[in-house]
Amino acid sequence: MAPSGNIHLRSILKYLVANPSTEIPNPPNCRKRASVALIIRIRPHPAHWPPEKPDHGSPDYCKESSNLTTDRLDEFFSLPWVQNGDPEVLFIKRATRTRDRWGGHVALPGGRRDSGDESDQAVAVRETWEEVGMDLSPQNCIFVGNLPERVVSTSWGRVPLMVLCSFIYVLTEHNIPPLRLQRSEVGSAHWVSLRALLSPSLRTYEYCDVSDRLANRGTDITRTFLRIIFGQMVCAAVKLMPSESLYSDIPSWLDLEDSVTAGSPLINLLRQLCTTDHAGSANRDRPLLLWGLTLAILTDFLHLPPTYNALSLWTYPTLTPPDIQFMVWIMTYSFRGKKQLEFHQLQTTNPKLAIQAPLPNEFNFGNGVTGRLMDGYYNLFRRAVVVALLARVTVAVGFATALCVRYRRGRNLSSLRV
């Protein structure tokens, strides 16, 4: 990213400092909370490599006793190697585990809040240390602030799972200690440039199992039935092009590959039809895809004023069957246009209100650009699916009736000839 891009990033970070997000209370019958850490580092350009030891006359931006966060950001981004460096974000690919809703997904370091955690931010710090071995203390990074909290839901927006809190950190050193991955939780870790994340050529779609979007995922037979009826969920995605990657130990990958590829081709085909692979997580040759909740968090971050226009990374989810997809498009067309218009008008007049203003629904997806645009979408989505299924039944009944009528006419003609 060019120096002007780093200035843009600094403006977003300073906006977060000046506009902290408020806490969202848990919806009724939903007590879980979780936190993630969006960690940014600056990868130095070879022509502007930082000195091994900082100058005594340079700003002491790493110390906890430094100036306010905005001053620390200004001091840090004034360094030549930072101005000419490439901002990168740390992602992890979660370990693949049976029946794990999030297994194999690309995510940010983080996890659920325990009873012993003092705050949501403490969860992000603890989980980052446990999962990747990174110390987020003030001596090593700048804590910028938090993104608008969001409610994670399932069953197409009907069942809340937890409140998710996202915290932003900027590493102040280029030579950080090697990551230490927690094998049981993390399959790999990847540093990805913001330039790559914003590249239009890397945008694609993810096709995930419908049962993974439901609160009660049911048995293999149930999931197969749902897959036949509803197809797959289609979500916006970005192909990740890491500049640096670290994997868990090789034996775990070999064991996983052996377990996946064992058996005859017919058995493997039946297994693929009757089970879900959590977005193809068991396939090492499959490209890393950023999608779903983590893509929404990144979009919320990059769309803060002054925006990178990161909303182009994200689209409304739908389903693969053409009839359902068409019905969803028709029944949400007016809603989507109205949401876009309302958001852009509010963002022009009051950017802070556009992101942090409370939403009217009893339980919603939270604030932030994607949360506001999704609020109310799944209500229309579910109706569109019902209408499409009723249309299928109507067509099937009509076709069966026509066949019966034709068959009876044929029999009557045969009897008359006799």
Side-chain angles (χ1 to χ4, degrees):
M1 185 170 289
S4 59
N6 288 355
I7 295 175
H8 204 155
L9 175 61
R10 179 179 62 178
S11 300
I12 289 181
L13 297 173
K14 293 175 69 174
Y15 177 87
L16 271 176
V17 175
N19 300 277
S21 299
T22 57
E23 181 177 319
I24 290 182
N26 283 60
N29 303 321
C30 175
R31 302 177 59 183
K32 296 179 181 178
R33 297 182 70 88
S35 299
V36 295
L38 198 161
I39 303 169
I40 302 171
R41 77 171 183 182
I42 306 297
R43 187 179 186 87
H45 191 277
H48 300 274
W49 201 260
E52 291 299 326
K53 295 182 180 180
D55 256 346
H56 293 292
S58 62
D60 193 9
Y61 53 84
C62 298
K63 300 298 182 182
E64 189 174 6
S65 59
S66 184
N67 296 328
L68 298 174
T69 304
T70 52
D71 295 331
R72 295 184 66 194
L73 288 172
D74 287 335
E75 292 171 355
F76 177 66
F77 278 91
S78 68
L79 300 175
W81 71 271
V82 175
Q83 293 178 353
N84 295 277
D86 196 9
E88 297 179 334
V89 177
L90 177 64
F91 296 100
I92 63 173
K93 183 177 181 181
R94 299 209 168 273
T96 303
R97 293 180 296 186
T98 306
R99 303 294 182 183
D100 183 3
R101 186 185 300 272
W102 317 108
H105 289 190
V106 173
L108 298 170
R112 294 182 181 179
R113 180 170 179 172
D114 296 334
S115 57
D117 292 315
E118 297 180 357
S119 63
D120 292 322
Q121 183 184 354
V123 179
V125 174
R126 174 181 59 79
E127 287 285 344
T128 300
W129 173 254
E130 293 176 356
E131 291 185 340
V132 298
M134 180 179 291
D135 183 12
L136 294 180
S137 63
Q139 289 77 17
N140 303 308
C141 62
I142 301 174
F143 169 62
V144 178
N146 61 313
L147 292 174
E149 298 178 0
R150 60 193 305 123
V151 176
V152 181
S153 65
T154 186
S155 296
W156 296 341
R158 296 184 63 182
V159 181
L161 292 177
M162 67 183 73
V163 174
L164 181 64
C165 314
S166 308
F167 298 92
I168 314 299
Y169 291 86
V170 177
L171 301 183
T172 53
E173 294 288 345
H174 73 285
N175 53 348
I176 60 174
L179 299 179
R180 185 190 69 251
L181 305 187
Q182 185 181 21
R183 179 183 174 185
S184 61
E185 297 288 339
V186 181
S188 56
H190 310 271
W191 288 102
V192 182
S193 168
L194 285 182
R195 287 187 295 111
L197 291 172
L198 294 168
S199 173
S201 63
L202 296 179
R203 295 170 193 171
T204 182
Y205 294 95
E206 172 59 277
Y207 299 87
C208 59
D209 199 274
V210 173
S211 64
D212 282 348
R213 308 295 101 188
L214 303 178
N216 183 8
R217 299 174 58 214
T219 63
D220 289 345
I221 297 177
T222 304
R223 292 196 296 273
T224 302
F225 177 76
L226 292 174
R227 193 178 297 114
I228 293 173
I229 299 297
F230 298 108
Q232 293 179 300
M233 289 286 294
V234 184
C235 304
V238 177
K239 292 181 182 179
L240 297 185
M241 302 290 291
S243 63
E244 182 180 341
S245 299
L246 178 66
Y247 294 88
S248 297
D249 52 349
I250 298 300
S252 66
W253 284 114
L254 295 177
D255 293 343
L256 179 59
E257 289 183 342
D258 291 343
S259 65
V260 171
T261 58
S264 66
L266 179 59
I267 294 177
N268 288 334
L269 177 61
L270 293 175
R271 183 185 293 116
Q272 292 175 6
L273 291 175
C274 298
T275 61
T276 177
D277 186 25
H278 297 291
S281 57
N283 184 2
R284 285 192 67 190
D285 297 327
R286 188 176 183 274
L288 289 169
L289 292 183
L290 175 67
W291 64 285
L293 184 60
T294 307
L295 178 60
I297 293 173
L298 191 75
T299 302
D300 285 349
F301 171 66
L302 293 177
H303 207 75
L304 291 171
T307 175
Y308 278 107
N309 193 27
L311 194 56
S312 58
L313 299 174
W314 179 88
T315 58
Y316 286 95
T318 184
L319 292 169
T320 52
D323 57 334
I324 298 181
Q325 195 171 117
F326 177 74
M327 193 61 64
V328 169
W329 184 82
I330 288 292
M331 295 187 64
T332 62
Y333 181 83
S334 177
F335 167 86
R336 289 181 282 113
K338 183 179 178 181
K339 279 286 186 179
Q340 292 272 2
L341 181 61
E342 288 179 355
F343 182 80
H344 286 301
Q345 288 178 344
L346 193 58
Q347 191 177 40
T348 302
T349 57
N350 193 331
K352 181 178 179 180
L353 190 62
I355 297 173
Q356 299 191 11
L359 297 171
N361 288 359
E362 178 182 1
F363 122 70
N364 53 65
F365 290 88
N367 299 323
V369 55
T370 55
R372 300 194 69 83
L373 293 177
M374 281 295 296
D375 186 52
Y377 172 77
Y378 274 128
N379 293 334
L380 296 174
F381 180 91
R382 292 192 297 268
R383 296 175 191 173
V385 171
V386 171
V387 172
L389 294 181
L390 289 177
R392 286 184 183 181
V393 173
T394 302
V395 171
V397 171
F399 183 73
T401 302
L403 287 179
C404 290
V405 170
R406 186 174 179 179
Y407 175 74
R408 289 177 180 177
R409 287 179 179 176
R411 290 191 60 182
N412 291 337
L413 289 175
S414 299
S415 60
L416 289 176
R417 288 173 184 175
V418 174

